[in-house]
Amino acid sequence: MESIRQFVLVCLLGGLTAEDGGGWFQPSDFSLQDEGPCNIDVLDASSLSHQQFLERYAYSRPVILRGLTDNTRFRLLCSRSSLLESFGSRTVRLSTANTFSYRKVDVPFSQYVDIFLKPQSEDTLGSDTLYFFGDNNFTEWSSLFEQYESPPYVLPHTSGAFSFGVAGAGTGVPFHWHGPGYSEVIYGRKRWFLYPPDQEPHFHPNRTTLSWLRETYPHLPEAEAPLECTIRPGEVLYFPDRWWHATLNLDTSVFISTFLG
């Protein structure tokens, strides 16, 4: 009971409620309302054992799991005020949202939040979008990552590496692929588009996911439609090895991935 009282007190002192998104966005802020369809299996984690996960999904298709972990404490630590207090002066590395570009820009985290963290327009090119995700200094951010409860369903002979990010509405990464992993939204909503390894999607590497959604997606033949779904806080998406995927943040979002390698 004492721990519950302490948690409520921290929430009140930090100005947090379950509805305000940890201070990252307010009801008047810009967001994308179309969550799109969901044609990916969404399961309660209690209904899927680790062995069933390995047999049905690990090597063949994505799945979204609810209630897989409890990251309530981690979510509180990821509020806007908490992250700025703990990491505002730390340098973060921003990447361009371009499939084949590797340009990096280093800025203090507080500067990223104040200047770069904003909604993205449809005509912005990927090379002009600076995105904070993936290039985390694990020593400097270890105090945060230590509080994250990663998905327990791991693949044999793999270990997890974290990639943490904060991004504005309309941003995301265009289609690309790598090894298997999980993605969890802490605040906001993130829409995912996925294709199996043998079905390379049609996209321009310097066009953003938002422009692809508006210009290409509506005209796709049924046979070329992606697997897709929007994930919310408390949901974890798993994607297998070498699956093409692109993401779109519908709100200002905080998120973390666990890459299995």
Side-chain angles (χ1 to χ4, degrees), residues 11 42 45-46 62 90 119 122 128 131 144 153-154 166 174 178 227:
C11 288
V42 180
S46 63
R90 306 288 177 87
E122 184 177 336
D128 296 328
Y131 195 72
L144 179 67
Y153 293 171
V154 297
V166 182
H178 44 68
L227 288 179

Side-chain angles (χ1 to χ4, degrees), residues 20-41:
D20 70 2
W24 290 107
F25 58 93
Q26 300 298 328
S28 60
D29 286 353
F30 172 81
S31 64
L32 300 171
Q33 297 307 312
D34 182 11
E35 294 192 354
C38 183
N39 53 13
I40 298 174
D41 289 351

Side-chain angles (χ1 to χ4, degrees), residues 13 24-25 44 49 51 55 65-66 93 110 114 122 124 149 175 187 195 212 216 238 255:
L13 292 175
W24 290 107
F25 58 93
D44 189 293
S49 68
Q51 185 60 37
E55 294 172 353
L65 298 172
R66 292 173 173 163
R93 176 156 291 180
S110 59
D114 292 339
E122 184 177 336
T124 302
E149 185 178 345
F175 282 104
Y187 290 110
Y195 287 94
W212 176 86
T216 303
Y238 169 80
F255 44 90

